[in-house]
Amino acid sequence: MLVTLSIDGVEVKARKGEKIIWVALDNGFYIPNLCAVRGVEPPFASCRLCFVEVEGRQAPVTSCTEPAVDGMVVHLNTPRVHRLRSAAFEFLLSHHRLDCVHCAKNRNCGLQEIASRLKLRLKPKRLKQIPRNLPVDSSHPLFIYDPNKCVLCGKCVWVCQEKGTGTLDFAFRGINTVVSTFAGKPLAEADCEACLACVQVCPVGALVPKEGVPSIFIPRAGI
Ligand code: FES
């Protein structure tokens, strides 16, 4: 069943229940996001970048969790939305090792894209950097995992469990949360079948192919 809603004054049609983020993106609007995966229920909603305002709601809502309803009026760029997005972005960057020049994802990075589209700084001023200094795992013959660049979006964990061997999962809690193998084994010793789906979905430079690994090894199918 189709519903009609308004996004920034433009009337659009959507499947009832489709999450607002997908309705907006499908209709050419931009909503920053790092953790959204179409069709995954419940959505991870971990990056907190995708806030929008819906008329009649007291506070902004995350568009990756909010279903489209007939007659809904959505605003993508209100001052409250800007404040929340900027704070979430700064928080992510405060845990991210920023080394764009030497990063394999330079110019193809979700954080750089968001900074550029929203005119935000990659070196935020308000929050202090909390360096993680975790060991980089280069044990796997095909890819490198740098937990210091991970934004904990959860896409690699999800895809590893959906399409791979379930090698990756979250470990620890709160500020110490990391993506890890069971018992923190090096990837080369873990149960990884090298499908490289995790490399394909990582939006930042945390999981990248090793130099010289042909791109045909990286799955293309989008999620
Ligand atoms: S895309 Fe909605 S919280 Fe990350």
Side-chain angles (χ1 to χ4, degrees):
M1 179 184 162
L2 287 181
V3 295
T4 304
L5 57 157
S6 156
I7 300 181
D8 279 354
V10 178
E11 205 170 86
V12 297
K13 299 243 181 264
R15 265 191 317 110
K16 187 178 175 196
E18 178 76 295
K19 300 298 189 291
I20 293 173
I21 190 168
W22 305 117
V23 181
L25 295 175
D26 288 347
N27 283 280
F29 296 95
Y30 177 67
I31 297 181
N33 69 88
L34 287 175
C35 72
V37 177
R38 198 188 284 260
V40 170
E41 283 295 340
F44 313 139
S46 61
C47 73
R48 318 307 287 169
L49 288 165
C50 69
F51 280 107
V52 299
E53 289 218 54
V54 175
E55 283 190 12
R57 303 289 285 273
Q58 280 200 327
V61 296
T62 44
S63 59
C64 65
T65 56
E66 194 67 23
V69 172
D70 201 41
M72 196 175 227
V73 180
V74 182
H75 300 284
L76 305 185
N77 291 300
T78 66
R80 286 206 294 183
V81 164
H82 277 294
R83 274 200 299 277
L84 285 169
R85 283 177 184 167
S86 308
F89 191 65
E90 289 197 25
F91 180 72
L92 288 174
L93 282 164
S94 71
H95 293 76
H96 178 80
R97 181 177 285 167
L98 204 61
D99 182 22
C100 299
V101 178
H102 301 107
C103 181
K105 277 291 193 71
N106 193 16
R107 298 175 194 276
N108 184 24
C109 165
L111 291 168
Q112 288 178 330
E113 186 193 359
I114 292 167
S116 151
R117 282 183 175 259
L118 301 184
K119 313 246 177 305
L120 296 172
R121 295 166 55 92
L122 278 168
K123 283 190 187 159
K125 281 186 175 161
R126 284 186 300 180
L127 292 182
K128 233 177 61 186
Q129 270 277 323
I130 307 169
R132 283 193 275 187
N133 291 325
L134 296 166
V136 176
D137 186 346
S138 1
S139 64
H140 198 281
L142 296 180
F143 66 99
I144 297 169
Y145 169 47
D146 183 350
N148 304 297
K149 294 182 182 168
C150 175
V151 288
L152 299 174
C153 67
K155 284 180 172 176
C156 60
V157 171
W158 169 78
V159 85
C160 188
Q161 286 173 8
E162 283 292 305
K163 301 186 179 177
T165 47
T167 304
L168 297 177
D169 205 344
F170 289 110
F172 310 118
R173 288 175 163 222
I175 200 161
N176 295 317
T177 307
V178 283
V179 169
S180 173
T181 59
F182 182 69
K185 274 189 188 169
L187 280 157
E189 293 167 30
D191 198 17
C192 170
E193 283 183 351
C195 70
L196 298 195
C198 59
V199 172
Q200 191 248 331
V201 298
C202 179
V204 295
L207 285 155
V208 293
K210 281 194 166 170
E211 226 173 286
V213 172
S215 55
I216 50 161
F217 284 110
I218 316 291
R220 275 165 182 247
I223 58 164

